Amino acid sequence: MEFLDNITTNWIIIFILTGFIAGYIDSIAGGGGMIQVPVLLYSGIPPVFVLAANKSAGMFGALMATIKYAASKKVNWKVVSIAIIPCLLASYLGSSLVMYLPQELIHWAILLSIAIAMISLFKKSKTIKEENIKLTKKSIILSTAPIGFYDGILGPGTGTYLTISMKKFLNLDFLVSTASTKPLNFATNFGSVVAFFFAGKILWLVAIPMGIANICGSYVGSHYAIKGGEAFIKKVLITVLVAMLFANIYKMIFQ
């Protein structure tokens, strides 16, 4: 792998800084991959290895966020226990198929998913007290597993989409939605990492330092999400979606 010669100490430092910022954003609203993937690509690492490194680092960050939110008792474990296996399997399937999809189709699919997420976010929906929410197995799986599949294929914005989906279709508030997303995000990342591991696509030289930085950023971000509550999380969600929209439009026009 000749491209490994270009991974200098300076690049490792950049990966660490990028991982911290991505972990911070991802722990609040998702979208950490949107930060990590462009930097990894710019370093000259091939796309498949980039996806593998992004998933590996994101897995560590999602684990830290899960621990932090669980300690604050913000995770809805009923949702997690029902959705985690379907999300993991869907993610594994997505990662197994990603190399066979046309690039142009992927770009349009991303734009469509962002548009749907923004419409859902700005459309008012009732927040019901947790004790009054009636969650069915079917509703939980339908609102999470398709996003797990998306995570396996692409990844950026998965946490954002899961949070909005839980808010919209399961009537959880933003803080509980965000918290419950993290163990699912860990599962989808884990499913992808397994697929990439057996394919020999994980660059541990990149994934480990970026993953440690992800853990640190995730710890700080989840702290501020718990402290700031729903209003803070919604602002970050909107920022992430707008950034994703412009980033993907730019990519389609100029690349």
Side-chain angles (χ1 to χ4, degrees):
M1 296 185 227
E2 294 181 3
F3 63 87
L4 286 177
D5 295 334
N6 298 324
I7 307 302
T8 61
T9 302
N10 288 339
W11 271 116
I12 296 297
I13 293 171
I14 291 171
F15 293 152
I16 290 171
L17 293 173
T18 302
F20 181 87
I21 296 170
Y24 177 87
I25 296 295
D26 207 50
S27 66
I28 301 169
M34 180 186 66
I35 298 168
Q36 290 181 159
V37 168
V39 173
L40 288 165
L41 285 171
Y42 189 73
S43 72
I45 298 174
V48 173
F49 290 93
V50 164
L51 291 176
N54 176 56
K55 292 298 180 185
S56 301
M59 180 181 70
F60 291 116
L63 178 59
M64 170 51 71
T66 298
I67 294 170
K68 184 75 172 173
Y69 283 121
S72 299
K73 298 181 179 179
K74 301 299 182 183
V75 178
N76 187 310
W77 289 110
K78 179 179 180 180
V79 171
V80 173
S81 64
I82 292 172
I84 195 164
I85 298 300
C87 281
L88 192 154
L89 294 175
S91 175
Y92 179 84
L93 179 61
S95 289
S96 300
L97 296 176
V98 68
M99 289 175 272
Y100 303 100
L101 293 178
Q103 202 65 26
E104 187 175 348
L105 177 63
I106 291 174
H107 286 318
W108 281 108
I110 292 174
L111 287 177
L112 179 61
S113 65
I114 294 171
I116 293 172
M118 292 186 76
I119 291 170
S120 299
L121 189 60
F122 285 105
K123 189 175 180 181
K124 290 186 177 181
S125 58
K126 291 193 298 182
T127 297
I128 303 172
K129 289 185 178 180
E130 192 168 354
E131 60 269 21
N132 296 328
I133 295 173
K134 295 180 180 179
L135 299 169
T136 65
K137 188 174 182 179
K138 181 180 178 181
S139 66
I140 291 170
I141 292 174
L142 288 178
S143 63
T144 56
I147 302 173
F149 180 76
Y150 165 86
D151 191 30
I153 293 179
L154 299 168
T158 297
T160 308
Y161 298 147
L162 278 171
T163 297
I164 294 172
S165 183
M166 287 185 190
K167 167 70 175 176
K168 180 68 179 177
F169 299 110
L170 301 182
N171 296 308
L172 303 175
D173 67 43
F174 274 122
L175 182 54
V176 175
S177 296
T178 297
S180 303
T181 289
K182 300 316 161 192
L184 297 180
N185 223 172
F186 171 76
T188 57
N189 282 335
F190 181 78
S192 295
V193 168
V194 170
F196 286 126
F197 175 79
F198 284 112
K201 301 299 183 183
I202 300 177
L203 300 175
W204 295 110
L205 174 68
V206 175
I208 290 176
M210 185 172 266
I212 293 172
N214 235 269
I215 290 172
C216 297
S218 183
Y219 181 89
V220 176
S222 54
H223 170 79
Y224 280 103
I226 293 167
K227 185 178 179 180
E230 184 157 335
F232 174 71
I233 292 171
K234 189 171 183 178
K235 287 177 183 177
V236 179
L237 280 169
I238 293 171
T239 302
V240 168
L241 285 171
V242 170
M244 285 176 62
L245 180 64
F246 282 105
N248 280 282
I249 290 174
Y250 177 85
K251 188 185 296 184
M252 290 184 72
I253 294 174
F254 296 104
Q255 292 185 11

